[in-house]
Amino acid sequence: MKYGVCLPYMKPDFDKATMREWCRRVDEGPFDAIYCGERITGTSHEMTVLLSMAAAFTERVRIIPSLYVLPMHSAVWAAKQVATLDRMSGGRVTMCVGVGGRPKDYQSVGAPFERRWQRMDEQIAVMKSIWQGEPAFEGADPVGPGPAQVGGPPILLGAMGPKSTARGAQWADGVFSFSGGGNGDEIAHYFGMAREAWQAAGRASDPYLLGGFFVCLAAQNPEQTLRQYAYDYLVTNAGEDIAKAYADGMTGFSAEAVQASLDAYEAAGCQEIQFSTVIADVEEVDRLADIVRARQAR
């Protein structure tokens, strides 16, 4: 498996100095990628800005938005952003897309929440045409720059249901599946759906399988910190009861539990792991690196 670390983009104390050191440790460590998610409301930092900084602060690891909530964006603008990031990173971008599940984020940026899956299908087609050098409309100039990777970066779909996964099987290169608590049965279910959807779509190759889960290995109170983060992550959108149940399912607060989740993900066929960190302490990168190195030494 490959391994990567998600930037703690929701932490308000995440600053330039911490970002620089975070990226250095990831790039010099046993990791393959650095990720950042997208939220509008709340304390989160803006995804494309952080990923641009990550591209500048690293030389080796892939740069992965995980994920663009694409129907909140202009497809042409997103195509230009991603192509620019791909060029500035030397062709290191993989793009994850999805529709999200937060109506208030959509409302905050003036984007409709309705028909978001259909709109995303259409947006992907637009983005691919832009990356091929086609103009956005007849009589317009092409939208540059062209991406460093011919045809554009690989695209992964973040989806949790059979219908959405089947839609993505028409145009995605793989899936990004997330189980907050690192549950192997849950991730195996998502990956199984993806394989079935790719087969039904007549795809010549299997989907690339990226999986993720929340982790907190802080020196003090890791369990409490992780579960509070998971609760806060969900409560404003899903309500207190669902958020509490979700938080109670978090397990990634010890090296042993993280290794157990990695075993389960690998058994499910996972090809790449995203460690979704919940604290901004740069020592967290080193703790995760120790886990990866111990696994690689088996």
Side-chain angles (χ1 to χ4, degrees):
M1 284 194 301
K2 296 179 179 179
Y3 304 87
V5 182
C6 187
L7 295 167
Y9 64 98
M10 290 181 60
K11 306 305 290 184
D13 58 340
F14 192 52
D15 57 17
K16 179 181 177 181
T18 306
M19 171 78 178
R20 185 191 297 274
E21 182 62 15
W22 193 280
C23 290
R24 184 189 69 79
R25 296 189 189 200
V26 171
D27 205 37
E28 295 178 359
F31 302 108
D32 301 278
I34 198 162
Y35 318 85
C36 185
E38 181 171 51
R39 288 278 300 275
I40 302 301
T41 57
T43 60
S44 61
H45 295 72
E46 203 279 326
M47 177 183 68
T48 59
V49 173
L50 288 189
L51 288 174
S52 297
M53 295 177 70
F57 289 158
T58 61
E59 298 293 337
R60 182 185 60 82
V61 294
R62 291 195 69 79
I63 307 297
I64 304 181
S66 60
L67 44 76
Y68 256 93
V69 183
L70 198 55
M72 293 196 304
H73 297 267
S74 154
V76 173
W77 205 327
K80 188 177 185 75
Q81 287 177 323
V82 173
T84 302
L85 184 62
D86 196 46
R87 279 204 167 273
M88 293 298 103
S89 66
R92 290 187 284 138
V93 172
T94 294
M95 184 180 185
C96 293
V97 299
V99 302
R102 298 178 181 273
K104 291 180 181 178
D105 278 6
Y106 279 76
Q107 185 177 354
S108 296
V109 298
F113 195 65
E114 298 74 26
R115 295 181 60 253
R116 56 197 184 279
W117 278 106
Q118 182 176 341
R119 291 188 357 250
M120 187 167 72
D121 290 342
E122 296 165 353
Q123 288 176 303
I124 291 294
V126 169
M127 293 182 71
K128 289 185 175 183
S129 72
I130 294 295
W131 290 340
Q132 293 289 347
E134 299 177 17
F137 57 90
E138 187 175 350
D141 294 330
V143 177
Q149 298 173 87
V150 177
I155 299 176
L156 306 181
L157 169 69
M160 299 176 66
K163 291 183 179 179
S164 54
T165 304
R167 296 183 82 119
Q170 302 299 319
W171 46 257
D173 297 293
V175 295
F176 170 43
S177 299
F178 194 85
S179 170
N183 185 295
D185 291 338
E186 185 177 6
I187 214 71
H189 172 68
Y190 293 147
F191 287 166
M193 281 195 305
R195 293 189 188 96
E196 290 174 5
W198 257 244
Q199 184 176 13
R203 299 291 295 270
S205 59
D206 293 332
Y208 188 79
L209 302 175
L210 167 62
F213 56 94
F214 288 126
V215 295
C216 181
L217 302 170
Q220 295 183 342
N221 302 319
E223 180 178 358
Q224 179 183 348
T225 301
L226 176 58
R227 291 186 169 167
Q228 186 64 53
Y229 180 94
Y231 175 85
D232 293 342
Y233 181 84
L234 210 59
V235 66
T236 58
N237 197 53
E240 185 168 342
D241 291 343
I242 293 176
K244 187 177 185 304
Y246 185 69
D248 288 345
M250 297 300 107
T251 62
F253 47 82
S254 72
E256 294 76 18
V258 171
Q259 288 285 17
S261 289
L262 293 176
D263 287 341
Y265 275 49
E266 187 170 28
C270 187
Q271 293 164 274
E272 182 175 340
I273 288 285
Q274 180 201 98
F275 294 117
S276 191
T277 52
V278 308
I279 59 175
D281 178 11
V282 294
E283 298 300 323
E284 191 78 340
V285 179
D286 294 340
R287 298 178 189 116
L288 291 169
D290 288 342
I291 289 174
V292 173
R293 290 190 180 102
R295 190 173 190 83
Q296 292 173 337
R298 287 181 180 179

